[in-house]
Amino acid sequence: MIRVLRPRQQPGWQLVVPGVLLLCAFIVPGIMLLVGQGEPAFNSVDTTWQAFAFTLHSPFWDGVNAVLNGVGYAGMLVLHGVLAAVLFVWRRPLTATFVLVSGVTALALTQLGKVVVGRERPVGAKVLTDTGSYPSGHVSATTALLMVLAILVSRWWMTLLAALGVIAMMISRTYLSAHWLSDVLGGACLAGGVVLILWWRFRNVCVKENETGGPRTIWAAGASRRLQAGERAE
């Protein structure tokens, strides 16, 4: 029997509801920061985690996190562009649009959140930082790209790598004292919510485009060919 790998069609609410909940998990702490003027109810958790992060410092981890600092924001945005360009070349313009819109929307909302909330960063950051600590731009950009890849590749190992990549970037930003714990959680929730809601809008046209886009395939078209081969064999 040939294993068919066609993507499972989820009801729309299974994407929309988690997406909205993630966006709420970003918005509510932002409001608490504004109302609490920098001292929200979760401030003690932030400071406790920050104190723990200081105990992890070593020359080796300083080097690792310096690399993550360089890759996590500008690098992720460049990779968004590269992925979109590859999809255009592979005749997947709508899928490329999904990739670009996901990255741009997450970036725009992240910068808007920084300006509106105006939270101060932790003292003693080991890297250069801009203004506005909430949410984390590095984590937002990383989450957006890795979630898009997990959706397009549609394999368990890519989902696992995406989760580990996001967690690594979250730990890195607090290790470098560039962000509070709530900042990195907010960045992940913001980008995750954006990608899920955009995929809900784009998924049908992307799957159809992939099945008819040409010899280079991702998951759906390859599975479609295997299914047809199995039907002929019967």
Side-chain angles (χ1 to χ4, degrees), residues 30 44 67 72 82 112-113 120-121 127 135 144 155 160 166 170 174 199 207 230:
S44 61
V67 173
V82 170
L112 178 62
E120 294 185 2
R121 292 178 182 266
V127 292
R155 297 289 189 271
L160 177 61
V166 171
M170 292 170 67
T174 56
W199 180 239
V207 169

Side-chain angles (χ1 to χ4, degrees), residues 168-185:
M169 187 59 66
M170 292 170 67
I171 295 173
S172 175
R173 301 313 288 165
T174 56
Y175 176 94
L176 294 169
S177 297
H179 286 285
W180 303 102
L181 178 61
S182 53
D183 298 337
V184 298
L185 291 171

